[in-house]
């Protein structure tokens, strides 16, 4: 079997009419979550820098940067919107890729689709293709490579796939686009950025731009290598393309922090709900978790990236504020109550939790109170996983909580309604006009 040929054939020939209503709804939910995360992320310092850089280096074009009137080139828009989407680490993810497909796939396709004046239906299909190819690329990459590499190292392939469909590449050109994206994408060891949090994060901004650029290069007859789908490891993940939609396996994050910290946040949430305990009553907290979770920073954060790649800060923030959202990771870094609670938290690696990761991310928490009580949570996984999902009302609540403070309630409602009716749009620019009105 020509594995690479199967992938390019899928990208070129897949049809929206063959997709179930559940799959189309899943794409819309992913888009709504992505846009909300990007709008909320617009206030982060990294987003402000990315906008300045893009205006200086990529110049005026026809593609929109969220919440900006001036349009830039597709590559520039893809870069900025991807940075914004991942700026708060509250965007979607997929367990087996250990990364964030939406933040890298959607901005690239959206930038190209605006340039092409694609319909809502064409955009939906391209996003689905981007997810399906990107997720599979992530799984294969982690099987082939000894180190855990960032989203940019595989997500660019998904972005290239979706953009290839939007701009009408042939199967041969699409194969080249995938190979270019793999070769030009970031090959960055993720744990180094976990150990030293920075604005690089998951390599998502650059990977998104790379994926889009790869498709545009292929259209000009720039050639690339056979992609990782041609490898032996890729074979089993290609055969079900178009039949099994892995977009249904996404997780949606309720908290603005690394997913590895979120099981422990859920444990605290359970204990607070059951006992009404307050942070003032706590003597000590012990977190039992997996190695990757325990490897997150335990130090007081000095910037939002350090707050997101932290295990203790999200836990302390939840106990003090009852949430871990944009407000906490952007504006409460020096809150003394949070810092005091951080000093009471210990972490211990649990072998059972290690063995189950990344298939499932689990933690357990014990709280020792000043009065001598010991409170023990259930063993809980990260909320929002497809087998521990947010219900539709919770997804809607997340959307409004992220967008309303920035664009207002009326615009937020119009935006969500537009997303829900996306296949009826004659031009995807109608969606962007609401975001940027």
């Amino acid at each position: 079997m020509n594995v690479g040929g199967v992938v390019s054939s899928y990208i070129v020939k897949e049809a929206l009419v063959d997709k179930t209503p559940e799959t189309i709804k899943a794409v819309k939910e992913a888009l709504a979550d992505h846009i909300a995360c990007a709008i909320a992320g617009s206030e982060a310092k990294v987003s402000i820098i990315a906008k300045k850089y893009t205006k200086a280096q990529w110049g005026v074009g026809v593609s929109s940067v969220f919440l900006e009137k001036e349009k830039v080139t597709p590559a520039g828009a893809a870069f900025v919107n991807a940075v914004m989407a991942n700026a708060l680490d509250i965007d979607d993810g997929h367990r087996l890729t250990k990364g964030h497909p939406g933040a890298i796939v959607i901005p690239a396709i959206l930038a190209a689709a605006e340039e092409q004046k694609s319909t809502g239906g064409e955009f939906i299909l391209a996003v689905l293709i981007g997810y399906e190819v990107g997720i599979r690329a992530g799984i294969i990459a982690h099987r082939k490579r000894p180190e855990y590499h960032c989203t940019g190292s595989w997500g660019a392939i998904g972005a290239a796939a979706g953009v290839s469909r939007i701009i009408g590449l042939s199967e041969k050109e699409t194969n080249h686009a995938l190979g270019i994206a793999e070769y030009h994408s970031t090959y960055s060891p993720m744990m180094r950025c976990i150990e030293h949090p920075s604005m690089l994060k998951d390599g998502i901004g650059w990977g998104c731009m790379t994926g889009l650029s790869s498709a545009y290069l292929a259209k000009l007859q720039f050639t690339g290598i056979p992609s990782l789908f041609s490898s032996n490891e890729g074979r089993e993940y290609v055969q079900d393309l178009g039949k099994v939609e892995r977009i249904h396996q996404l997780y949606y994050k309720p908290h603005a922090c690394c997913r590895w910290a979120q099981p422990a946040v859920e444990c605290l949430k359970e204990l607070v709900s059951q006992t009404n305990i307050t942070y003032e009553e706590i003597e000590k907290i012990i977190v039992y978790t997996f190695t990757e979770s325990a490897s997150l920073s335990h130090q007081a954060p000095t910037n939002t990236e350090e707050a997101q790649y932290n295990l203790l800060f999200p836990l302390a923030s939840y106990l003090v504020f009852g949430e871990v959202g944009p407000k906490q990771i952007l504006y409460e870094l020096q809150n003394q109550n949070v810092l005091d609670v951080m000093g009471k938290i210990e972490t211990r690696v649990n072998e059972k939790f290690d063995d189950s990761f990344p298939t499932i991310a689990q933690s357990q928490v014990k709280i020792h109170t000043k009065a001598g009580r010991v409170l023990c949570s259930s063993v809980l996984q990260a909320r929002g996983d497809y087998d521990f999902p947010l219900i539709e009302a919770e997804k809607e609540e997340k959307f409004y909580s992220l967008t309303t403070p920035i664009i207002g309630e009326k615009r937020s409602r119009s935006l969500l309604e537009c997303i829900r009716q996306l296949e009826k749009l004659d031009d995807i620019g109608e969606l962007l006009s609401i975001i940027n009105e």
Side-chain angles (χ1 to χ4, degrees), residues 146-206:
E147 286 185 279
Y148 165 29
H149 285 80
C150 70
T151 299
S153 71
W154 50 264
I157 302 171
V163 174
S164 293
R165 176 59 185 246
I166 284 290
I167 65 176
L169 296 192
S170 67
E171 290 188 32
K172 181 179 179 181
E173 291 167 334
T174 298
N175 270 327
H176 284 298
L178 300 180
I180 296 166
E182 180 185 353
Y183 201 85
H184 279 171
S185 64
T186 63
Y187 192 71
S188 309
M190 188 63 198
M191 292 309 297
R192 289 181 60 195
C193 203
I194 298 291
E195 294 163 4
H196 305 283
S198 73
M199 293 179 181
L200 293 170
K201 299 193 74 179
D202 251 67
I204 283 174
W206 209 256

Side-chain angles (χ1 to χ4, degrees), residues 235-347:
R235 190 173 300 274
E236 68 178 280
Y237 296 103
V238 168
Q239 294 174 349
D240 62 358
L241 268 170
K243 303 170 187 174
V244 175
E245 267 103 24
R246 292 179 182 260
I247 195 170
H248 294 291
Q249 300 171 349
L250 293 177
Y251 61 77
Y252 293 100
K253 299 170 76 171
H255 312 297
C257 60
C258 179
R259 178 175 175 267
W260 299 347
Q262 300 212 11
V265 176
E266 292 300 326
C267 293
L268 285 182
K269 186 176 179 180
E270 178 190 76
L271 290 176
V272 170
S273 174
Q274 291 176 350
T275 67
N276 292 318
I277 190 170
T278 64
Y279 68 90
E280 294 96 340
E281 301 174 66
I282 294 173
E283 180 71 31
K284 180 173 66 174
I285 302 170
I286 303 175
V287 179
Y288 300 90
T289 192
F290 49 98
T291 298
E292 288 82 356
S293 174
S295 70
L296 294 169
S297 176
H298 291 42
Q299 302 301 313
T302 62
N303 56 56
T304 186
E305 286 78 27
E306 291 180 358
Q308 294 166 46
Y309 286 137
N310 199 300
L311 179 58
L312 308 193
F313 182 83
L315 300 180
S317 292
Y318 182 80
L319 287 170
V320 173
F321 294 102
E323 64 176 359
V324 188
K327 180 176 182 290
Q328 286 70 44
I329 63 168
L330 288 175
Y331 307 118
E332 297 290 352
L333 303 184
Q334 302 304 314
N335 184 284
Q336 193 57 51
N337 290 329
V338 172
L339 298 177
D340 289 345
V341 174
M342 287 179 66
K344 299 178 180 181
I345 304 175
E346 302 174 8
T347 60

Side-chain angles (χ1 to χ4, degrees), residues 79-144:
F79 173 73
V80 177
N81 290 335
V83 168
M84 288 168 60
N86 187 238
L88 303 182
D89 207 0
I90 198 170
D91 47 312
D92 75 21
H94 185 275
R95 288 177 184 173
L96 298 183
T97 67
K98 296 189 283 188
H100 303 270
I104 199 167
V105 164
I106 293 176
I109 298 168
L110 186 58
E114 185 177 14
E115 182 188 51
Q116 298 291 317
K117 299 186 182 301
S118 302
T119 67
E122 290 167 340
F123 176 72
I124 288 172
L125 180 60
V127 169
L128 176 62
I129 289 169
Y131 268 104
E132 296 307 312
V133 173
I135 289 170
R136 284 167 171 80
I139 295 171
I140 297 165
H142 283 102
R143 289 194 64 182
K144 287 176 67 67

Side-chain angles (χ1 to χ4, degrees), residues 48-60 65 70-73 76 79-80:
I48 296 168
I49 293 172
K51 289 176 187 177
K52 290 180 180 178
Y53 171 80
T54 293
K55 289 177 182 179
Q57 298 298 325
W58 270 300
V60 177
V65 173
E70 183 180 347
K71 294 188 178 184
V72 298
T73 62
F79 173 73
V80 177

Side-chain angles (χ1 to χ4, degrees), residues 48 93 103 108 148 183 219 222 234 271 330 400 404 413 434 436:
I48 296 168
Y148 165 29
Y183 201 85
K219 188 172 186 178
F222 195 99
L271 290 176
L330 288 175
Y400 287 129
T404 301
R413 293 192 179 281
I434 297 175
N436 292 337

